Amino acid sequence: MEMRLSQQLMDDLAMSVHTALATNGIVNVSQLAEDIRRRNEIDNVALEDITAHVMAHAQRLSAAMEFARPAD
């Protein structure tokens, strides 16, 4: 079953991926997903679900990706 994300979370996710790609030329999927989860804690979405959506969005943009662990 695919997790449905709120429109606000999806907008945040799309903007975050675009910004990361424009700024860094690469999307750090793990770090970005954690940042998005923290900003949208009220939605109570699992990090794994957000990570999957970040990766899918980055793939649609043919973005280079890395999976470095988020700094605590």
Side-chain angles (χ1 to χ4, degrees):
M1 181 173 107
E2 185 175 330
M3 170 58 99
R4 302 274 304 172
L5 304 181
S6 71
Q7 187 61 50
Q8 179 179 342
L9 196 148
M10 287 302 294
D11 290 345
D12 184 10
L13 188 147
M15 183 60 71
S16 297
V17 170
H18 283 278
T19 300
L21 185 56
T23 303
N24 306 317
I26 191 167
V27 176
N28 183 340
V29 174
S30 302
Q31 181 66 57
L32 200 55
E34 178 61 21
D35 294 345
I36 293 165
R37 185 195 65 76
R38 287 181 181 169
R39 285 194 302 267
N40 296 278
E41 282 184 322
I42 193 76
D43 289 340
N44 195 29
V45 177
L47 179 60
E48 294 80 10
D49 293 328
I50 296 171
T51 300
H53 281 276
V54 168
M55 190 165 55
H57 196 78
Q59 284 178 324
R60 284 192 293 275
L61 298 173
S62 299
M65 291 180 262
E66 67 177 340
F67 298 88
R69 289 180 48 123
D72 291 327

